[in-house]
Amino acid sequence: MKLVLLSGGSGTRLWPLSSSIRSKQFLQVLPAPGGGRESMLQRIWRQLSAAGLGHEVYIATSSGQETLIRKQLRTAPKVIIEPRRRDTFPAVSLASAYLYSVEKISPEETVIVLPVDAYVNDDFFFKLTELDQALRQSGAEIALLGAKPDGPSGKYGYIVPALPTAATPGKLENPAYVQVDCFVEKPDRQEAEALLEQQAMWNCGIFAFRLRDQLNRLEAAGFPMDYAELQRQYHRLPKSSFDVEVLEGNSRLICVPYHDGWKDLGTWNTLSEELASSVLGWGHISADSLNCQIVNELDVPVILVGLDDVIVAAGPGGILVARKDAADHLKHLLPASDHEKRKEYIPGD
């Protein structure tokens, strides 16, 4: 079993502290064990190492992030460099070619892909072995990990399981895995409630496949399986997500349920729930302000008075003042110059 972390993110949703130069996973705002603060990258690497999986990890990223990765991780895993920003399908394809032609990994090996910004408990990483086992036992092409929702939400995509039928009797109570019927991307609240009735799960963006299946897919499309050669031809790979290229319409998918808590820290609303302190940097929140946070990287104070449910983030690139439940719409309001810089997608955003 090999693990590929997709490290990228153009910074749109955690503006102004996250940017195309310093993506969200490098922000050191989470509480670290024993005190201090750590980044999303440092947290997931610490957890993987504690689970005894550090030696199985590779990080797929752009050349601009390699220095930050090695700076933040004392014992950095091997880094797979994308020659240009594209999307998750090219990133996974390049990582597969690297594992096969450089690392000489067996084509029968299971590869598990994870976004670097997943916020989970330490025991989550032991669930990855179950993902590997389910893939091998089921004969499926892809095994997904689905998180049990804690309520209807339009923030996440949903994996809808295939319900039992007369031809396939049985119940969905605590199965090792279920067949996947379809995906629903970020529904409204009413649709999300209906999906919960169908026992749908949040799509964590975590999936497993046998290395040979992805290599066969590349070969059938006329792409080399050699890492150096695929780097040279990287611009030819479809600029598309793995979901679109492989998962959508695929009838050979299973999903392993995860019931113990998962969160995507991709927006200020979700990240604010896990910050190391209500005030990071120079600032003060008045006693009559409830459920507020300040994250300030500037050398001037930020004072918040008489407001509830507000996040204030200040950095060299700008200042954000937003109601937490509205912060998800940030990317539509960015200055044109910033938005243009962030048009191209990096895996993991």
Side-chain angles (χ1 to χ4, degrees):
M1 182 176 74
K2 302 299 177 184
L3 308 178
V4 175
L5 289 177
L6 297 183
S7 176
S10 57
T12 303
R13 294 183 294 170
L14 290 179
W15 182 90
L17 303 191
S18 179
S19 68
S20 57
I21 297 174
R22 183 187 62 173
S23 297
K24 60 190 175 187
Q25 64 267 29
F26 301 110
L27 299 177
Q28 293 178 301
V29 296
L30 300 174
R37 305 200 298 265
E38 64 183 357
S39 67
M40 301 176 199
L41 173 67
Q42 290 169 321
R43 176 185 167 87
I44 197 169
W45 174 245
R46 171 177 57 77
Q47 292 176 307
L48 284 165
S49 299
L53 296 172
H55 63 290
E56 306 290 2
V57 176
Y58 299 80
I59 297 184
T61 191
S62 61
S63 57
Q65 293 191 5
E66 183 180 9
T67 300
L68 274 172
I69 289 171
R70 299 197 183 281
K71 182 178 179 181
Q72 288 203 353
L73 304 182
R74 295 179 180 177
T75 54
K78 293 182 179 179
V79 177
I80 302 169
I81 300 297
E82 302 166 69
R84 57 178 55 81
R85 298 177 183 179
R86 290 186 78 75
D87 210 320
T88 52
F89 179 76
V92 172
S93 298
L94 190 65
S96 298
Y98 181 91
L99 293 174
Y100 176 69
S101 66
V102 178
E103 294 293 293
K104 308 301 182 183
I105 301 301
S106 167
E108 298 305 312
E109 190 81 47
T110 296
V111 178
I112 300 180
V113 178
L114 306 90
V116 75
D117 57 355
Y119 191 86
V120 290
N121 298 324
D122 292 349
D123 62 356
F124 165 84
F125 297 96
F126 297 102
K127 193 75 174 179
L128 298 181
T129 59
E130 295 182 32
L131 200 62
D132 178 23
Q133 293 166 4
L135 181 70
R136 295 180 182 278
Q137 292 171 4
S138 66
E141 184 177 348
I142 306 286
L144 306 162
L145 196 70
K148 182 180 179 181
D150 55 20
S153 173
K155 298 177 185 177
Y156 309 119
Y158 286 74
I159 301 168
V160 182
L163 295 174
T165 65
T168 58
K171 296 183 179 180
L172 293 181
E173 296 176 1
N174 301 318
Y177 62 86
V178 296
Q179 299 292 325
V180 174
D181 180 61
C182 65
F183 300 91
V184 178
E185 185 62 23
K186 296 182 179 179
D188 59 30
R189 184 177 181 85
Q190 184 175 0
E191 187 178 6
E193 290 175 348
L195 288 170
L196 295 189
E197 292 296 320
Q198 300 177 56
Q199 302 183 44
M201 292 163 280
W202 285 337
N203 187 356
C204 304
I206 297 170
F207 53 90
F209 58 87
R210 281 175 292 274
L211 180 57
R212 64 171 164 80
D213 287 337
Q214 184 61 14
L215 294 174
N216 290 342
R217 192 174 290 110
L218 285 173
E219 187 176 35
F223 290 101
M225 292 181 286
D226 178 77
Y227 172 68
E229 184 58 35
L230 189 58
Q231 272 196 320
R232 286 189 284 271
Q233 298 188 33
Y234 198 66
H235 64 283
R236 293 183 52 233
L237 285 165
K239 189 178 181 181
S240 181
S241 69
F242 194 86
D243 288 15
V244 170
E245 293 296 319
V246 180
L247 302 186
E248 291 183 1
N250 192 326
S251 61
R252 296 181 59 207
L253 306 179
I254 61 167
C255 180
V256 175
Y258 177 67
H259 298 284
D260 297 323
W262 165 87
K263 185 178 292 186
D264 174 8
L265 299 186
T267 67
W268 281 116
N269 190 15
T270 53
L271 180 60
S272 67
E273 297 171 358
E274 308 299 339
L275 291 177
S277 172
S278 59
V279 178
L280 299 177
W282 192 359
H284 179 75
I285 299 175
S286 66
D288 62 343
S289 296
L290 303 177
N291 191 30
C292 293
Q293 273 91 16
I294 293 173
V295 185
N296 183 16
E297 292 187 335
L298 302 178
D299 290 327
V300 294
V302 172
I303 310 298
L304 202 157
V305 179
L307 295 174
D308 296 339
D309 304 312
V310 167
I311 180 78
V312 178
I319 298 173
L320 168 71
V321 180
R323 195 178 71 243
K324 289 183 180 180
D325 61 2
D328 293 358
H329 307 299
L330 170 63
K331 64 181 180 180
H332 303 298
L333 302 174
L334 283 176
S337 58
D338 288 327
H339 185 67
E340 287 299 315
K341 292 177 183 177
R342 295 165 171 81
K343 272 188 174 179
E344 288 203 341
Y345 177 88
I346 307 175
D349 191 18

